[in-house]
Amino acid sequence: MTVVGPFGLSVRDQALETDVQTGLAAVEEGLLDATKSEVPFITEAARHLVRAGGKRFRPLLVMLAAQFGDPHAPGIVPSAVVVELTHLATLYHDDVMDEADVRRGVPSANARWDNSVAVLTGDFLFARASRILADLGPEAVRIQADAFERLVTGQILETAGPREGQDPVGHYLDVIAGKTGSLIAVSGRFGAIMAGADERVVDILTQYGERLGTAFQLADDVLDIASDSHESGKTPGTDLREGIPTLPVLLLRARAAEHGRPEDVELCALLDGDLTDDARLGEVLRRLRAHPALDQARRDTIRYAEEARASLAPLPECYAKAALEELCDAVVHRAG
């Protein structure tokens, strides 16, 4: 049994391990090639987050989905590069919108250079992803375009906020389905399509990715509050400090609005205050870690992960299916 990919995924078959490791290594080479420019400064900026590392969760899913067809088909690695480039590009843009200072343990591009460089570098990565897509055929271009539309729609929905009378939690789930679920769903879809899997298998792996993507983001929401920096790789309360709505906070606010418990109202007031103050942030984290809203967020994470697992039921029993099921377990484990 060998550990590969994000979250310590265990691969119990030598052939699968070889395919996954070889594929992910080829993706890294593809990312370096796709981020190389004739202008040295562009290369430096474009490779900034590539070299910072990352889970490579989406390319891993491409490799596992490809096991349900020909895992050595020529379009698999390029499609994995496309989804990771697209993901990286959105991080450059997200950091500008969120005014983030750190990404993956290094200064964000907007902090190291400025907002203009970060935005344009993200655009450069989108352009390079499009170039690769052009060689994968019109269906791949359409799939990516549809996913990107959903991703941008999710970002716009987050920026605009819920409509008058709309449930903020339901709105948030719509946001993360677009921002996170769409591209993870495409990872499963690309892997299966490029490997020549039949249409039913393609649909199953797409739905699996959609549900797992939502669970993945909800686990991140829990981690932002519940973990320490050693465990999660980022400073606890980062999303809180940046004013990013997360599921535990939305559940807390819903409880405060419905029941009006003084301690919930007081905690909401603390959240609305200046969280650049370390002591205030620490107090908010302490209270949220003991609050039922965090447990509810964990339960919701588990529910989406279990839905992802259940969607795999029609697939034949094999090592790749077992690895996909283990990804569900890994996401749940992250949420505690």
Short mmCIF file of all heavy atoms in Angstrom, two decimals, residues 124-162:
data_model
loop_
_atom_site.label_atom_id
_atom_site.label_comp_id
_atom_site.label_asym_id
_atom_site.label_seq_id
_atom_site.Cartn_x
_atom_site.Cartn_y
_atom_site.Cartn_z
N PHE A 124 -3.41 35.08 -18.15
CA PHE A 124 -2.41 34.34 -18.92
C PHE A 124 -2.61 32.84 -18.76
O PHE A 124 -2.53 32.08 -19.74
CB PHE A 124 -1.01 34.77 -18.45
CG PHE A 124 0.12 33.99 -19.08
CD1 PHE A 124 0.58 34.31 -20.35
CD2 PHE A 124 0.73 32.94 -18.41
CE1 PHE A 124 1.63 33.61 -20.93
CE2 PHE A 124 1.77 32.23 -18.97
CZ PHE A 124 2.22 32.56 -20.24
N LEU A 125 -2.87 32.40 -17.53
CA LEU A 125 -3.08 30.98 -17.29
C LEU A 125 -4.35 30.48 -17.98
O LEU A 125 -4.38 29.37 -18.52
CB LEU A 125 -3.15 30.70 -15.79
CG LEU A 125 -1.87 30.98 -15.00
CD1 LEU A 125 -2.09 30.69 -13.52
CD2 LEU A 125 -0.71 30.15 -15.53
N PHE A 126 -5.41 31.29 -17.97
CA PHE A 126 -6.62 30.91 -18.70
C PHE A 126 -6.32 30.76 -20.19
O PHE A 126 -6.82 29.84 -20.85
CB PHE A 126 -7.71 31.96 -18.51
CG PHE A 126 -8.37 31.94 -17.16
CD1 PHE A 126 -8.56 33.11 -16.44
CD2 PHE A 126 -8.83 30.75 -16.61
CE1 PHE A 126 -9.19 33.09 -15.20
CE2 PHE A 126 -9.45 30.72 -15.37
CZ PHE A 126 -9.63 31.90 -14.66
N ALA A 127 -5.52 31.66 -20.73
CA ALA A 127 -5.17 31.60 -22.15
C ALA A 127 -4.40 30.32 -22.46
O ALA A 127 -4.67 29.65 -23.48
CB ALA A 127 -4.35 32.83 -22.54
N ARG A 128 -3.45 29.95 -21.61
CA ARG A 128 -2.68 28.74 -21.84
C ARG A 128 -3.57 27.49 -21.72
O ARG A 128 -3.40 26.53 -22.48
CB ARG A 128 -1.52 28.68 -20.86
CG ARG A 128 -0.39 29.68 -21.21
CD ARG A 128 0.21 29.35 -22.57
NE ARG A 128 1.18 30.30 -23.05
CZ ARG A 128 2.49 30.27 -22.78
NH1 ARG A 128 2.98 29.31 -22.00
NH2 ARG A 128 3.29 31.17 -23.29
N ALA A 129 -4.50 27.51 -20.79
CA ALA A 129 -5.44 26.39 -20.68
C ALA A 129 -6.27 26.25 -21.94
O ALA A 129 -6.51 25.15 -22.44
CB ALA A 129 -6.34 26.57 -19.46
N SER A 130 -6.68 27.39 -22.50
CA SER A 130 -7.49 27.38 -23.72
C SER A 130 -6.70 26.82 -24.90
O SER A 130 -7.25 26.10 -25.75
CB SER A 130 -7.98 28.79 -24.04
OG SER A 130 -8.81 29.28 -23.02
N ARG A 131 -5.42 27.14 -24.94
CA ARG A 131 -4.59 26.62 -26.03
C ARG A 131 -4.52 25.10 -25.98
O ARG A 131 -4.62 24.42 -27.01
CB ARG A 131 -3.18 27.21 -25.94
CG ARG A 131 -2.23 26.65 -26.99
CD ARG A 131 -0.80 27.08 -26.75
NE ARG A 131 -0.60 28.49 -27.03
CZ ARG A 131 0.58 29.11 -26.91
NH1 ARG A 131 1.65 28.42 -26.50
NH2 ARG A 131 0.70 30.39 -27.19
N ILE A 132 -4.34 24.55 -24.78
CA ILE A 132 -4.30 23.09 -24.64
C ILE A 132 -5.64 22.48 -25.01
O ILE A 132 -5.72 21.45 -25.68
CB ILE A 132 -3.90 22.72 -23.20
CG1 ILE A 132 -2.49 23.24 -22.88
CG2 ILE A 132 -3.95 21.20 -23.00
CD1 ILE A 132 -2.11 23.13 -21.42
N LEU A 133 -6.73 23.12 -24.56
CA LEU A 133 -8.07 22.62 -24.86
C LEU A 133 -8.32 22.52 -26.36
O LEU A 133 -8.99 21.59 -26.82
CB LEU A 133 -9.12 23.55 -24.24
CG LEU A 133 -9.51 23.28 -22.80
CD1 LEU A 133 -10.33 24.43 -22.27
CD2 LEU A 133 -10.30 21.98 -22.69
N ALA A 134 -7.80 23.48 -27.10
CA ALA A 134 -8.04 23.50 -28.55
C ALA A 134 -7.56 22.21 -29.21
O ALA A 134 -8.13 21.75 -30.20
CB ALA A 134 -7.35 24.70 -29.18
N ASP A 135 -6.51 21.61 -28.65
CA ASP A 135 -5.98 20.36 -29.20
C ASP A 135 -6.77 19.13 -28.72
O ASP A 135 -6.57 18.03 -29.24
CB ASP A 135 -4.51 20.18 -28.80
CG ASP A 135 -3.61 21.22 -29.47
OD1 ASP A 135 -3.95 21.68 -30.57
OD2 ASP A 135 -2.57 21.56 -28.87
N LEU A 136 -7.64 19.32 -27.73
CA LEU A 136 -8.41 18.20 -27.21
C LEU A 136 -9.77 18.05 -27.88
O LEU A 136 -10.50 17.10 -27.60
CB LEU A 136 -8.60 18.35 -25.70
CG LEU A 136 -7.31 18.30 -24.87
CD1 LEU A 136 -7.61 18.53 -23.39
CD2 LEU A 136 -6.60 16.95 -25.05
N GLY A 137 -10.13 19.01 -28.72
CA GLY A 137 -11.36 18.88 -29.50
C GLY A 137 -12.48 19.77 -29.00
O GLY A 137 -12.46 20.26 -27.87
N PRO A 138 -13.50 19.97 -29.87
CA PRO A 138 -14.59 20.89 -29.54
C PRO A 138 -15.42 20.47 -28.33
O PRO A 138 -15.91 21.33 -27.60
CB PRO A 138 -15.45 20.90 -30.81
CG PRO A 138 -15.04 19.68 -31.58
CD PRO A 138 -13.63 19.42 -31.23
N GLU A 139 -15.58 19.15 -28.09
CA GLU A 139 -16.36 18.73 -26.92
C GLU A 139 -15.66 19.15 -25.64
O GLU A 139 -16.31 19.63 -24.68
CB GLU A 139 -16.56 17.21 -26.93
CG GLU A 139 -17.44 16.76 -25.76
CD GLU A 139 -17.64 15.25 -25.72
OE1 GLU A 139 -16.95 14.53 -26.45
OE2 GLU A 139 -18.50 14.81 -24.93
N ALA A 140 -14.35 18.99 -25.59
CA ALA A 140 -13.60 19.40 -24.41
C ALA A 140 -13.71 20.90 -24.19
O ALA A 140 -13.84 21.37 -23.05
CB ALA A 140 -12.13 18.99 -24.54
N VAL A 141 -13.65 21.67 -25.27
CA VAL A 141 -13.79 23.12 -25.17
C VAL A 141 -15.15 23.48 -24.60
O VAL A 141 -15.28 24.34 -23.72
CB VAL A 141 -13.58 23.78 -26.54
CG1 VAL A 141 -13.88 25.27 -26.46
CG2 VAL A 141 -12.15 23.56 -27.04
N ARG A 142 -16.20 22.81 -25.08
CA ARG A 142 -17.56 23.10 -24.60
C ARG A 142 -17.70 22.74 -23.13
O ARG A 142 -18.27 23.51 -22.34
CB ARG A 142 -18.57 22.32 -25.43
CG ARG A 142 -20.02 22.52 -24.97
CD ARG A 142 -20.99 21.61 -25.72
NE ARG A 142 -20.65 20.21 -25.56
CZ ARG A 142 -20.92 19.50 -24.47
NH1 ARG A 142 -21.54 20.08 -23.43
NH2 ARG A 142 -20.60 18.23 -24.40
N ILE A 143 -17.19 21.58 -22.73
CA ILE A 143 -17.28 21.15 -21.33
C ILE A 143 -16.59 22.16 -20.42
O ILE A 143 -17.12 22.56 -19.38
CB ILE A 143 -16.67 19.75 -21.16
CG1 ILE A 143 -17.54 18.70 -21.84
CG2 ILE A 143 -16.47 19.41 -19.69
CD1 ILE A 143 -16.90 17.33 -21.95
N GLN A 144 -15.40 22.57 -20.82
CA GLN A 144 -14.65 23.53 -20.00
C GLN A 144 -15.35 24.89 -19.96
O GLN A 144 -15.40 25.54 -18.91
CB GLN A 144 -13.24 23.69 -20.56
CG GLN A 144 -12.38 24.74 -19.86
CD GLN A 144 -11.89 24.30 -18.49
OE1 GLN A 144 -12.24 23.22 -18.03
NE2 GLN A 144 -11.07 25.12 -17.87
N ALA A 145 -15.91 25.31 -21.10
CA ALA A 145 -16.61 26.60 -21.15
C ALA A 145 -17.82 26.58 -20.23
O ALA A 145 -18.08 27.55 -19.49
CB ALA A 145 -17.03 26.91 -22.58
N ASP A 146 -18.57 25.48 -20.25
CA ASP A 146 -19.74 25.38 -19.37
C ASP A 146 -19.32 25.41 -17.90
O ASP A 146 -19.96 26.07 -17.07
CB ASP A 146 -20.51 24.08 -19.66
CG ASP A 146 -21.23 24.10 -21.01
OD1 ASP A 146 -21.38 25.20 -21.58
OD2 ASP A 146 -21.64 23.02 -21.48
N ALA A 147 -18.25 24.69 -17.58
CA ALA A 147 -17.77 24.67 -16.20
C ALA A 147 -17.28 26.05 -15.78
O ALA A 147 -17.53 26.50 -14.65
CB ALA A 147 -16.66 23.64 -16.04
N PHE A 148 -16.58 26.72 -16.68
CA PHE A 148 -16.06 28.04 -16.35
C PHE A 148 -17.19 29.04 -16.15
O PHE A 148 -17.12 29.91 -15.27
CB PHE A 148 -15.10 28.50 -17.45
CG PHE A 148 -14.29 29.71 -17.07
CD1 PHE A 148 -13.60 29.76 -15.88
CD2 PHE A 148 -14.22 30.81 -17.91
CE1 PHE A 148 -12.85 30.87 -15.52
CE2 PHE A 148 -13.48 31.92 -17.57
CZ PHE A 148 -12.80 31.96 -16.37
N GLU A 149 -18.24 28.91 -16.95
CA GLU A 149 -19.41 29.77 -16.76
C GLU A 149 -20.01 29.55 -15.37
O GLU A 149 -20.36 30.50 -14.67
CB GLU A 149 -20.46 29.48 -17.83
CG GLU A 149 -21.73 30.32 -17.67
CD GLU A 149 -22.77 30.00 -18.71
OE1 GLU A 149 -22.42 29.46 -19.78
OE2 GLU A 149 -23.96 30.27 -18.45
N ARG A 150 -20.11 28.29 -14.97
CA ARG A 150 -20.64 27.99 -13.64
C ARG A 150 -19.72 28.54 -12.55
O ARG A 150 -20.19 29.07 -11.53
CB ARG A 150 -20.79 26.48 -13.46
CG ARG A 150 -21.92 25.84 -14.22
CD ARG A 150 -22.08 24.39 -13.79
NE ARG A 150 -22.39 24.31 -12.36
CZ ARG A 150 -22.12 23.25 -11.60
NH1 ARG A 150 -21.51 22.19 -12.12
NH2 ARG A 150 -22.43 23.25 -10.33
N LEU A 151 -18.42 28.42 -12.76
CA LEU A 151 -17.46 28.91 -11.78
C LEU A 151 -17.60 30.43 -11.59
O LEU A 151 -17.66 30.92 -10.46
CB LEU A 151 -16.05 28.54 -12.25
CG LEU A 151 -14.89 28.63 -11.27
CD1 LEU A 151 -13.75 27.73 -11.74
CD2 LEU A 151 -14.38 30.05 -11.13
N VAL A 152 -17.67 31.13 -12.71
CA VAL A 152 -17.79 32.60 -12.64
C VAL A 152 -19.15 32.99 -12.05
O VAL A 152 -19.24 33.94 -11.26
CB VAL A 152 -17.59 33.21 -14.03
CG1 VAL A 152 -17.90 34.70 -14.02
CG2 VAL A 152 -16.17 32.98 -14.52
N THR A 153 -20.20 32.25 -12.42
CA THR A 153 -21.51 32.52 -11.86
C THR A 153 -21.49 32.36 -10.34
O THR A 153 -22.06 33.18 -9.60
CB THR A 153 -22.57 31.59 -12.47
OG1 THR A 153 -22.64 31.82 -13.88
CG2 THR A 153 -23.95 31.84 -11.86
N GLY A 154 -20.82 31.32 -9.87
CA GLY A 154 -20.70 31.12 -8.43
C GLY A 154 -20.00 32.28 -7.76
O GLY A 154 -20.40 32.74 -6.68
N GLN A 155 -18.94 32.79 -8.40
CA GLN A 155 -18.21 33.92 -7.84
C GLN A 155 -19.08 35.17 -7.81
O GLN A 155 -19.07 35.94 -6.83
CB GLN A 155 -16.95 34.18 -8.65
CG GLN A 155 -16.08 35.30 -8.09
CD GLN A 155 -15.52 34.98 -6.73
OE1 GLN A 155 -14.68 34.11 -6.58
NE2 GLN A 155 -16.00 35.67 -5.70
N ILE A 156 -19.84 35.39 -8.88
CA ILE A 156 -20.73 36.55 -8.93
C ILE A 156 -21.81 36.45 -7.87
O ILE A 156 -22.14 37.43 -7.18
CB ILE A 156 -21.34 36.70 -10.34
CG1 ILE A 156 -20.25 37.08 -11.35
CG2 ILE A 156 -22.44 37.77 -10.34
CD1 ILE A 156 -20.71 37.07 -12.79
N LEU A 157 -22.38 35.24 -7.71
CA LEU A 157 -23.40 35.05 -6.67
C LEU A 157 -22.83 35.35 -5.29
O LEU A 157 -23.50 35.95 -4.45
CB LEU A 157 -23.92 33.62 -6.72
CG LEU A 157 -24.86 33.25 -7.87
CD1 LEU A 157 -25.18 31.76 -7.85
CD2 LEU A 157 -26.14 34.07 -7.81
N GLU A 158 -21.59 34.93 -5.05
CA GLU A 158 -20.97 35.20 -3.76
C GLU A 158 -20.79 36.70 -3.56
O GLU A 158 -21.05 37.24 -2.48
CB GLU A 158 -19.61 34.51 -3.68
CG GLU A 158 -18.91 34.74 -2.34
CD GLU A 158 -17.59 34.01 -2.25
OE1 GLU A 158 -16.66 34.38 -3.01
OE2 GLU A 158 -17.47 33.10 -1.44
N THR A 159 -20.36 37.38 -4.61
CA THR A 159 -20.14 38.83 -4.52
C THR A 159 -21.45 39.58 -4.31
O THR A 159 -21.52 40.52 -3.51
CB THR A 159 -19.45 39.33 -5.80
OG1 THR A 159 -18.21 38.63 -5.99
CG2 THR A 159 -19.17 40.83 -5.72
N ALA A 160 -22.50 39.14 -5.01
CA ALA A 160 -23.79 39.83 -4.92
C ALA A 160 -24.52 39.53 -3.61
O ALA A 160 -25.28 40.36 -3.11
CB ALA A 160 -24.67 39.44 -6.11
N GLY A 161 -24.29 38.34 -3.07
CA GLY A 161 -24.97 37.94 -1.84
C GLY A 161 -26.36 37.40 -2.14
O GLY A 161 -26.86 37.49 -3.27
N PRO A 162 -27.02 36.82 -1.13
CA PRO A 162 -28.36 36.26 -1.34
C PRO A 162 -29.39 37.34 -1.66
O PRO A 162 -29.26 38.48 -1.21
CB PRO A 162 -28.67 35.56 -0.01
CG PRO A 162 -27.77 36.22 0.99
CD PRO A 162 -26.54 36.65 0.25
#
